[in-house]
Amino acid sequence: MNFKKYTQIMMSILLLFAIIIIVLGIAVWSKNVYTGIIYLVIAGIQFFGIVFLYPRIGRIDDLHEMGNRSVPHNWVVLSVAIAGAALFLAPFFRPDSMTIPFIAFVLCILQVIVSALNILFAVKKVKARMIV
Amino acid sequence: MSNGEKKEAWPWKDEYGDYSLVPVPQEELRSFTSIFYVFMGVLACIAVLWGGATLGLQFTLKEALWVAVIGSLILCVIGGFTSVIGGVSRCSTYVNMRYPFGMIGSQLFGTIIAGIACGIGWFAVQTWLFGIILHTLFPEAPWANVGVAAIWGGILMMTTAIIGFKGLAWLSYLAVPFFILIAGVGVMIGVAGAGGFAGLAQLKPQTPTTFGIGVTQVVGMYIAGGVITADIARYARKAVGGALAWIIQIIVFQVYMLMGAVALTLATGAANVAQALLVGGAGIGAFLMAILGQWTTNDNNLYNGALSFNTWAHIKKRNITIIEGLIGTAIAAYVGFKAGVSMDPFMKFLTLLGKILPAIGGVLIADFYIYRWYKKITFKERYKAKPGMKISLFNWVGWLAMILGTVIGGWLVKWGIAALNALVFAAVIYIVLAIIFDAVGVKIELGEHTINEKGV
């Protein structure tokens, strides 16, 4: 698959996950405001980290440069997703039911996997720099 | 590079790895983001949160904010100056020290402040602390026994330092956003515990102290990092890029993380941030904070130590990192297994070694910005090493200024901030003596050494 297309599809999947976590954050806000805040902060950072990548890779055709631009955005999603996975199940952020935290946790784990694969793919396929 | 520009050939040979003795070449320079992340990786450590916790025991929320801001501003200035030196020379602090201290001075003082103190000493202390924190979090787990945790923690922390700058950056990319979030969690737990921001602002500290002592604590906590910023800033694409990265991370994120710990401590009364987070309900976040916080800081300790050892131990930097890492881990594990043994005497010794660091920074800043300007050396040409260039073996004014600055500023003067006093006294003594002796024709640089293409 074309690298540009691959990146856009994968980033769209990550964006979808981030939007779901935002919705979950809004849903839990009334039960525990701190839980709502942490969900919105984590997903918000991911959302903007992903959204800003679209125009950055849309304008260029050089695949190597595209990879270089994609890597730091995926690092942001990856590291914030690790934080989300660690914090969403924490007792301080638990609302009454464990369903929402568990869904958010699973989404974060998926984000960790997808963004790590994206970085690996960019480094292997288009020789992007892992550290920019 | 534009078509009209001709790329200058890099005349060096990086024999020992990670450009430990030679300038970083153009194609290896890194973005502002990378430099910022690596700096943040050093800052994102439990020591900063513990520093904040100490402030939380001594000041109200508003007072602590002012203490953190003023202390951080002082660190901005010091680290900003030293970062630009690295950005211009593209060399590590210990190679830069060849100019104001001579070849022998750079090897000796570099080894004392970074090799022994950071690379072995503080690495051992932090690895031991890592064991202590894990044991506090999981007292029943065999893998969290202080000695056992020190062994696997020490090995873990060695891995990224062995890779070099890329390893530090890679880990920082992972850990820094997490640490920023966990400091925010500290604020939330603090605010929730105090029943809102208004309640938190009303809380009184347990052991109030003076504003000056607080600022001294903030500056003293990180002045070592401020003096050796060139080790990282030398990789910045623009000379001022490293300084900018340093300033932002200090004034924005250090203040933010300190305040996170202040809020947590004011609300819970506990100075042990990891435990307070665990008790407060941060769950696995407290555990990850312990691991990532110590790791991102301790790999930098090893990295800086190996750079300084490389000035006289001419073997691959990777091998030096492994040797010093194993020594540090062995010390930490030994202390960890000997239940009840304290590291206090060892830490006092390391603190003593660290006392000369601000004075070294003062001499370095004075030499680069004032003495080289007085000698009419253009800014971009200062500390520009070239193969075949001659360098002195011994700059006696640099040595004298460093010793006098340390003694006067660090011990004799009883007012102000000791570390800052030492830095300023050393800088003033150096510049006054160097210019006077220069004017009367007395040589301040003795002996001669020719730098070869390996930077030796």
Side-chain angles (χ1 to χ4, degrees), chain A residues 34-35 37-38 41-42 45 71-72 75-76 78-80 82-87 90-93 129-132, chain B residues 27 29-31 34 37 166 169-170 173-174 177-178 181-182 185 188-189 191-192 237 280-285 288:
Chain A
Y34 299 110
T35 310
I37 291 172
I38 201 77
V41 167
I42 286 175
I45 295 170
V71 165
W75 273 118
V76 171
L78 175 65
S79 60
V80 175
I82 292 173
L87 294 172
F92 182 74
F93 296 113
R129 291 167 83 169
M130 198 180 251
I131 305 298
V132 288
Chain B
E27 64 273 16
L29 299 182
R30 302 290 163 175
S31 66
S34 265
Y37 264 97
K166 285 179 186 171
W170 171 80
Y173 277 18
L174 268 185
F178 171 78
L181 284 167
I182 203 81
V185 172
M188 286 186 207
I189 293 174
V191 171
R237 283 203 186 113
I284 201 169
L288 273 183

Side-chain angles (χ1 to χ4, degrees), chain B residues 228-239:
Chain B
I228 60 173
T229 55
D231 294 356
I232 304 300
R234 68 198 172 114
Y235 275 96
R237 283 203 186 113
K238 289 181 182 165

Side-chain angles (χ1 to χ4, degrees), chain B residues 113 350-360 402 405-406 410-411 418-419 422:
Chain B
I113 61 166
L350 294 174
T351 308
L352 191 71
L353 290 184
K355 288 236 179 209
I356 66 171
L357 195 54
I360 286 175
M402 190 275 287
T406 304
W411 278 287

Side-chain angles (χ1 to χ4, degrees), chain A residues 2-132:
Chain A
N2 175 304
F3 180 73
K4 190 171 188 173
K5 199 156 202 160
Y6 167 85
T7 305
Q8 284 173 335
I9 292 172
M10 287 306 199
M11 295 313 275
S12 301
I13 293 170
L14 289 173
L15 189 65
L16 178 69
F17 291 165
I19 292 170
I20 296 173
I21 298 173
I22 290 174
V23 173
L24 294 177
I26 295 168
V28 293
W29 185 281
S30 57
K31 290 173 189 150
N32 184 339
V33 69
Y34 299 110
T35 310
I37 291 172
I38 201 77
Y39 277 53
L40 292 182
V41 167
I42 286 175
I45 295 170
Q46 292 176 330
F47 180 85
F48 287 110
I50 299 161
V51 161
F52 286 136
L53 180 63
Y54 286 106
R56 291 196 72 207
I57 61 168
R59 284 185 238 122
I60 48 169
D61 294 318
D62 178 6
L63 293 183
H64 173 70
E65 183 55 26
M66 202 179 292
N68 279 343
R69 291 186 184 192
S70 145
V71 165
H73 290 261
N74 277 289
W75 273 118
V76 171
V77 176
L78 175 65
S79 60
V80 175
I82 292 173
L87 294 172
F88 288 158
L89 294 181
F92 182 74
F93 296 113
R94 263 181 219 162
D96 305 335
S97 151
M98 280 302 284
T99 313
I100 287 178
F102 189 72
I103 295 170
F105 171 79
V106 170
L107 289 174
C108 281
I109 295 294
L110 290 173
Q111 283 178 326
V112 169
I113 295 167
V114 172
S115 52
L117 284 175
N118 287 353
I119 293 170
L120 205 66
F121 196 69
V123 171
K124 293 274 178 204
K125 294 284 176 188
V126 297
K127 303 273 178 278
R129 291 167 83 169
M130 198 180 251
I131 305 298
V132 288

